[in-house]
Amino acid sequence: MTHIGRRGLMAAAAGAAAALMAAGDAAAGGMTAGGAAAGDAAAGAHRRRRAPRREFRGMWLATVANRDWPSRPGLTAARQRAELVALLDTAVTRGLNAVVLQVRPTADALWPSPYEPWAQCLTGIQGKNPGWDPLGTAVREARARGLELHAWFNPYRVANHTDPARLTAGHPARLHPEWILPYGGKLYYNPGLPEVGRFVQDVVLDAVARYDIDAVHWDDYFYPYPVAGQVFADHEAYARYGAGFPDRAAWRRDNTDRLVRETAARIRRTGKRVRFGISPFGVWRNAATDPLGSDTRAGVQTYDDLHADTRAWVERGWIDYIVPQLYWLAQPRDVQDPANYTVLVDWWADVVKGTGVDLYVGEALYKVGDPAQPKGWQNPAELSRHLDLCATYPEVRGNIYFAAKEVAGDPLGAVSMIAERYRRQG
């Protein structure tokens, strides 16, 4: 999983599911800003009861644009299933114990969702039934191998193009054109619309109700990464809903906060032992912007550019785990080029300390051996050095590698080194 790779890649529920969602809505609706403290305390207590004990050793398995799986769209159901099972087997042989499977890559689904069409990455045609249930199969096969299965959702991305006519006819973005905005060559749901937030939650809660997943997992895309010379045109929504906020940035952050807070409440209200984790870009704010920030010089800051106050989500106990994408080299502390793995591990460990939120570190396996990357990434031991550093922090509970294709490919033998380390540790 990578902010670089991701940016380059790119009937309603009935019965018991509906009842679960309704209960969650009531809880979420009651969590106003004034009542957040009680909700935060309850969330923290719930999280601590179900925190796992073992070291988390995971891999992201990306489906957007067929990044990791399926190897190409249009394969038979049997071939797709065989490729998926082979990747799960690879995770086991590499010493991993969790797979984070992307089940909603572009506002389409890897399960029979009543809200969104079947994913295009499966058949090549959005909305076409692939003839099997990938998420259900993944959960079952992961269980058989002792793997956790975390369902990875991208909240707002609709398409890696800007033409709604290319979406399947019944796609929610075509039924509700007022929900979408083009930006940077892509289509997004508008986070400023309450009905969009409710819809995104409904999609997620449907999967929670149907499947025995271990966690709901969100990536780093909230408001889109900035594109020079372009404006995210949410001015109408801001005019309608932004009263009482000092500026549009504060309103946008509140929209993101609300989505995280309400989703957490609805997951909790199901009564299922499903965790909620988020994997943000690794820099909350630079210290030059905010003295509470990290000693970094990053060109993107999640608080300011993606309108995601990731630090606050940890402090308020809204999430069970956080996986900052620390996709930089581990260097001496005085090196900021523009950021430093060493400094950021220390910063995030301090953020989670005493909160009960688990810290897993996102690792840039995809950079290892890539000739376009700096020299340090040509060293097969770079990620092993990362694990050495993480081992000195009790707050770091594990690591997740981006992504499955590289876990299988073992660039420069780096994965074999990590797997041997895991075998020694048991």
Side-chain angles (χ1 to χ4, degrees):
M1 173 189 283
T2 165
H3 60 276
I4 298 173
R6 285 176 177 166
R7 290 157 74 183
L9 291 171
M10 296 283 58
L20 288 171
M21 291 176 187
D25 293 342
M31 289 191 69
T32 62
D40 294 349
H46 179 71
R47 180 186 58 252
R48 286 189 291 273
R49 284 199 301 270
R50 54 189 168 83
R53 295 171 183 247
R54 63 180 180 177
E55 178 185 22
F56 195 92
R57 304 167 179 176
M59 74 177 185
W60 282 289
L61 203 169
T63 59
V64 62
N66 298 92
R67 200 276 178 193
D68 294 320
W69 174 83
S71 58
R72 59 182 173 83
L75 298 176
T76 65
R79 177 70 180 279
Q80 290 178 12
R81 186 182 296 108
E83 288 187 352
L84 177 61
V85 168
L87 287 169
L88 298 180
D89 285 340
T90 295
V92 173
T93 61
R94 300 302 195 196
L96 307 182
N97 55 31
V99 173
V100 184
L101 173 64
Q102 190 175 37
V103 300
R104 185 182 186 249
T106 50
D108 49 14
L110 269 73
W111 77 97
S113 168
Y115 297 100
E116 293 183 313
W118 280 106
Q120 184 175 2
C121 65
L122 297 171
T123 65
I125 302 172
Q126 192 174 62
K128 182 178 179 180
N129 191 327
W132 68 300
D133 180 355
L135 177 52
T137 299
V139 170
R140 182 174 61 254
E141 296 293 342
R143 288 282 176 277
R145 290 159 176 79
L147 294 167
E148 293 184 25
L149 196 289
H150 294 219
W152 164 15
F153 304 80
N154 183 287
Y156 292 123
R157 182 174 57 214
V158 174
N160 288 324
H161 57 76
T162 59
D163 183 4
R166 291 172 56 185
L167 302 173
T168 191
H171 196 290
R174 293 188 67 176
L175 299 177
H176 299 280
E178 71 279 9
W179 286 7
I180 57 175
L181 291 172
Y183 182 77
K186 298 177 175 63
L187 281 177
Y188 296 92
Y189 284 127
N190 185 349
L193 299 178
E195 55 269 37
V196 164
R198 167 60 183 260
F199 176 77
V200 170
Q201 294 175 43
D202 287 346
V203 171
V204 171
L205 267 291
D206 176 64
V208 171
R210 288 169 180 259
Y211 299 99
D212 186 26
I213 59 175
D214 290 286
V216 167
H217 182 101
W218 285 356
D219 54 27
D220 51 319
Y221 286 97
F222 293 97
Y223 279 83
Y225 280 85
V227 177
Q230 298 196 28
V231 175
F232 191 69
D234 58 353
H235 47 277
E236 291 184 5
Y238 178 50
R240 191 183 314 165
Y241 299 110
F245 293 92
D247 52 37
R248 192 181 306 195
W251 169 73
R252 286 176 172 176
R253 278 190 295 276
D254 184 72
N255 293 332
T256 312
D257 282 351
R258 183 178 294 109
L259 181 73
V260 173
R261 183 178 70 242
E262 293 180 356
T263 301
R266 291 184 65 176
I267 293 171
R268 188 170 66 252
R269 291 284 295 186
T270 68
K272 300 182 74 172
R273 296 174 66 86
V274 177
R275 305 178 77 214
F276 183 27
I278 295 178
S279 176
F281 177 77
V283 175
W284 172 70
R285 301 188 95 183
N286 296 319
T289 305
D290 187 323
L292 295 176
S294 53
D295 185 15
T296 50
R297 313 288 185 271
V300 172
Q301 302 171 90
T302 60
Y303 182 95
D304 303 273
D305 297 305
L306 308 183
H307 306 290
D309 192 354
T310 54
R311 179 175 175 271
W313 304 342
V314 171
E315 292 179 336
R316 295 170 184 170
W318 293 347
I319 57 179
D320 299 299
Y321 68 81
I322 193 160
V323 193
Q325 297 173 32
L326 304 191
Y327 292 172
W328 295 277
L329 296 167
Q331 302 184 80
R333 290 180 178 274
D334 60 346
V335 177
Q336 301 300 335
D337 189 26
N340 183 338
Y341 184 96
T342 306
V343 168
L344 284 166
V345 168
D346 185 78
W347 188 87
W348 280 104
D350 187 63
V351 168
V352 304
K353 188 176 298 182
T355 66
V357 175
D358 288 327
L359 171 62
Y360 311 139
V361 177
E363 302 288 348
L365 175 60
Y366 75 101
K367 289 187 174 183
V368 174
D370 181 350
Q373 297 296 333
K375 181 179 178 181
W377 291 108
Q378 313 313 312
N379 180 354
E382 176 64 23
L383 293 189
S384 294
R385 293 175 58 235
H386 290 194
L387 299 189
D388 289 340
L389 176 64
C390 288
T392 66
Y393 289 90
E395 295 82 10
V396 178
R397 300 290 301 276
N399 306 77
I400 310 183
Y401 304 93
F402 189 84
K405 182 165 62 177
E406 286 77 16
V407 170
D410 193 15
L412 302 182
V415 182
S416 293
M417 295 176 66
I418 293 169
E420 177 57 31
R421 177 194 190 100
Y422 287 155
R423 277 191 289 272
R424 291 196 307 270
Q425 293 176 344

